[in-house]
Amino acid sequence: MQKQIEKTERSQTSTTSSSEAKKHYWKTNLKYLGILLSIWFVTSFGAGILFKDTLNKITMGGFKLGFWFAQQGSIYIFCVLIIIYIFLMNRLDKSHHLED
């Protein structure tokens, strides 16, 4: 009987720590998403639309920089952010022992 009670207590403790680990994992994942999407928003909407006039004073490859960000730059930034997200999530998975 005592062994059954100890087993149940360990199971409950394990479940609580597992639940906390899941919350931490999800919270960290959302933090990464928020930061990376904010960077993408600033570079696509900000550089391509809001700061277009200021950036158009600079040319890159014969094109005005504001135009370049609106047409191609935000796509390149998005692809780089995807790679960064993959790196961050692999590191987070390893820290939570969830790697494949």
Side-chain angles (χ1 to χ4, degrees), residues 2 7 9 18 26 28 43-44 53 66-67 72-74 91:
Q2 184 65 22
K7 185 177 179 181
E9 288 175 354
S18 175
W26 187 245
T28 306
T43 56
S44 62
D53 295 332
F67 173 77
Q72 295 178 351
S74 62
R91 193 173 69 183

Side-chain angles (χ1 to χ4, degrees), residues 47-67:
I49 297 171
L50 296 178
F51 310 122
K52 173 184 62 97
D53 295 332
T54 306
L55 291 173
N56 279 340
K57 295 175 184 173
I58 303 167
T59 59
M60 186 169 124
F63 296 101
K64 296 178 180 179
L65 191 58
F67 173 77

